[in-house]
Amino acid sequence: QKEVEQNSGPLSVPEGAIASLNCTYSDRGSQSFFWYRQYSGKSPELIMSIYSNGDKEDGRFTAQLNKASQYVSLLIRDSQPSDSATYLCAAKGTTDSWGKFQFGAGTQVVVTP
Amino acid sequence: EPEVTQTPSHQVTQMGQEVILRCVPISNHLYFYWYRQILGQKVEFLVSFYNNEISEKSEIFDDQFSVERPDGSNFTLKIRSTKLEDSAMYFCASSGTVREQYFGPGTRLTVT
């Protein structure tokens, strides 16, 4: 069974601090990785995608990918109370599974004022 | 900004009844998906659809489930005979390539 693993949290972060979220995946053939934000009772909202090893920055968010270690991370800089949500890591498989996303269970982030 | 829409937002049905969940993907997208999320659990893939046929389906997507694109805009998920364990949020997603997927707001299905 191909899995995506995340710490469930909650991860408590003071306002203005950096939130660091981690994700590991078991399918070494996975090529594409995504971070979604999900507020309670709402649908997943795409924040970042990353396909190559290294860092990718978009505003206050930075995604990091290390395919050798099968590890993806998300940094949220200058955390705001509105960042309080569950963050889902998703991996897309190899060409024989082109459309299927495997989601982690999510990490709950709580930003405290 | 274009978005995926889903109707209804909440559907209550009795066990054994058929339900149809409707989705309107983003207009220029070609790839469509259904996922479900049981309360408190992870988002689970059900099925992907491209070029008017199923591309991939999970073990959850058994003979009780079917998908259809009846016209140029709608994408539907039918559950033929609902069970209590089908109660969940059902999310439709679409993508323009096989990369980023954009999710609709979901339909909460409650089977009583």
Side-chain angles (χ1 to χ4, degrees):
Chain A
Q1 178 76 341
K2 297 168 183 175
E3 299 284 345
V4 174
E5 301 287 345
Q6 298 179 252
N7 291 325
S8 61
L11 177 66
S12 184
V13 180
E15 185 174 357
I18 295 175
S20 177
L21 291 78
N22 303 316
C23 169
T24 59
Y25 60 95
S26 63
D27 182 2
R28 190 168 284 280
S30 294
Q31 297 296 317
S32 306
F33 305 89
F34 308 87
W35 284 99
Y36 284 83
R37 177 173 61 198
Q38 187 175 32
Y39 293 111
S40 181
K42 302 295 186 182
S43 63
E45 175 191 4
L46 181 66
I47 300 174
M48 295 278 293
S49 59
I50 187 165
Y51 311 116
S52 305
N53 281 329
D55 295 359
K56 179 181 178 184
E57 186 175 317
D58 184 358
R60 295 187 296 113
F61 299 99
T62 299
Q64 299 171 316
L65 173 61
N66 183 327
K67 290 185 180 179
S69 301
Q70 295 178 238
Y71 176 87
V72 194
S73 67
L74 179 71
L75 298 178
I76 308 173
R77 288 182 300 282
D78 188 24
S79 296
Q80 302 296 309
S82 59
D83 294 326
S84 297
T86 297
Y87 290 79
L88 310 179
C89 174
K92 191 176 82 63
T94 52
T95 52
D96 64 340
S97 178
W98 58 264
K100 174 180 177 179
F101 277 18
Q102 196 84 314
F103 278 88
T107 297
Q108 184 186 4
V109 172
V110 179
V111 179
T112 54
Chain B
E1 185 175 320
E3 58 184 21
V4 178
T5 59
Q6 290 185 243
T7 54
S9 58
H10 190 193
Q11 174 87 49
V12 181
T13 189
Q14 288 190 322
M15 194 168 52
Q17 296 298 303
E18 175 184 287
V19 294
I20 297 176
L21 309 183
R22 291 183 167 80
C23 168
V24 179
I26 294 172
S27 64
N28 61 346
H29 283 185
L30 301 175
Y31 303 86
F32 315 117
Y33 315 87
W34 285 102
Y35 290 83
R36 80 171 186 189
Q37 187 175 33
I38 295 170
L39 186 65
Q41 298 187 23
K42 64 172 67 175
V43 176
E44 299 175 291
F45 170 80
L46 293 178
V47 66
S48 58
F49 191 88
Y50 170 69
N51 200 25
N52 284 318
E53 60 183 27
I54 290 173
S55 299
E56 189 173 6
K57 59 184 180 180
S58 71
E59 57 276 7
I60 302 168
F61 194 89
D62 61 21
D63 291 344
Q64 295 296 322
F65 292 88
S66 62
V67 289
E68 192 177 37
R69 186 157 164 81
D71 53 41
S73 59
N74 289 284
F75 179 51
T76 62
L77 174 70
K78 180 192 290 187
I79 309 175
R80 264 181 272 282
S81 178
T82 50
K83 304 188 279 285
L84 293 176
E85 55 265 37
D86 294 327
S87 294
M89 281 289 285
Y90 287 81
F91 295 112
C92 174
S94 71
S95 64
T97 69
V98 294
R99 289 193 161 180
E100 292 95 354
Q101 295 181 15
Y102 296 90
F103 282 69
T107 293
R108 179 172 300 283
L109 177 65
T110 302
V111 182
T112 62

